Amino acid sequence: MNSASANSILLDISTFLARRWSDNPKVIVSLSDDKQPYTHIDRQQIFLPTLNYFHGEEFDRYRQWRVTLWYEAMKIKYCTKVKASSKEHAYGFILNCLETKRVEILGLEIWQGMTNEIIFYEAMSWLTKPLLNTIYGRHKLIEAFSQYFLTGYMKGELFGNEFERVKNAADYANQCIKDAVEGSRGTE
């Protein structure tokens, strides 16, 4: 099967799944070889990479792609705002981590079958996570927070009181997410 044909099939599958998972029949999905996954809430549009973006055998890449699509569909369903990738960590990276965890919890209440797929996705994406002892400064702590908060594990080492700082931040973030989910609060 050629690449154009495969991408056409992926587009059909992704449109069907995104609309079903998000309960939104107006969702539009776009595929691109070089784009990271992103959701534009206002336009009800999901941007996804093709299978080549992911690692492993073809079926492994498809499973990772499908989980990525599920996360983006959950953002359409449960988020009112998603921050574009930003160099300003407080408004981009960290808030998106919090929102990813919140929509995962809410999404798994309905789509429990995604639990094993998310575990597989986390295991495969672990291969591309940077070693913490190769990153320096606040970027190291932010990456450590992301890894620990989203998966409960960190790849590499932290020194001094860095682990305690990351753990305290993750504990606080988890409490905020718990309060938001239990209080039926949204993105804001």
Side-chain angles (χ1 to χ4, degrees), residues 85-90 92-94 97 129-148 154-155 157-158 162 165-166:
S85 294
S86 169
K87 295 196 187 283
E88 208 314 289
H89 294 292
F93 188 75
I94 291 175
C97 284
K129 297 286 185 204
L131 279 170
L132 296 176
N133 42 323
T134 63
I135 308 171
Y136 302 98
R138 70 175 180 209
H139 298 290
K140 177 181 184 176
L141 292 177
I142 291 168
E143 179 62 31
F145 167 79
S146 169
Q147 290 180 17
Y148 190 73
M154 293 180 295
K155 187 175 181 179
E157 297 179 56
L158 294 175
E162 290 175 330
R165 291 173 63 194
V166 167

Side-chain angles (χ1 to χ4, degrees), residues 15 18-28 41 44 76-77:
T15 301
R19 289 177 177 176
R20 177 67 177 110
W21 283 332
S22 68
D23 288 330
N24 184 336
K26 296 179 182 178
V27 172
I28 298 167
I41 300 293
Q44 300 174 12
I76 292 280
K77 184 174 180 77

Side-chain angles (χ1 to χ4, degrees), residues 3 5 20 25 39 45 49 52 56 60 63 87 90-91 97 112 115 133 135-136 138 142 162 169 171:
S3 179
S5 171
R20 177 67 177 110
T39 298
Q45 187 168 15
N52 294 332
D60 295 340
R63 288 177 70 188
K87 295 196 187 283
Y91 286 104
C97 284
Q112 296 168 3
T115 301
N133 42 323
I135 308 171
Y136 302 98
R138 70 175 180 209
I142 291 168
E162 290 175 330
D171 289 346

Side-chain angles (χ1 to χ4, degrees), residues 12-79:
D12 289 343
I13 291 169
S14 62
T15 301
F16 171 79
L17 289 174
R19 289 177 177 176
R20 177 67 177 110
W21 283 332
S22 68
D23 288 330
N24 184 336
K26 296 179 182 178
V27 172
I28 298 167
V29 179
S30 298
L31 300 177
S32 175
D33 283 330
D34 58 354
K35 277 197 187 248
Q36 289 190 349
Y38 177 71
T39 298
H40 197 292
I41 300 293
D42 296 340
R43 295 184 195 157
Q44 300 174 12
Q45 187 168 15
I46 296 172
F47 297 93
L48 283 179
T50 59
L51 295 181
N52 294 332
Y53 180 83
F54 302 96
H55 300 285
E57 300 294 322
E58 188 171 11
F59 187 62
D60 295 340
R61 291 192 314 259
Y62 171 73
R63 288 177 70 188
Q64 293 168 75
W65 175 85
R66 191 177 62 215
V67 171
T68 301
L69 173 62
W70 181 80
Y71 273 115
E72 300 307 312
M74 293 302 97
K75 289 176 186 175
I76 292 280
K77 184 174 180 77
Y78 294 114
C79 295

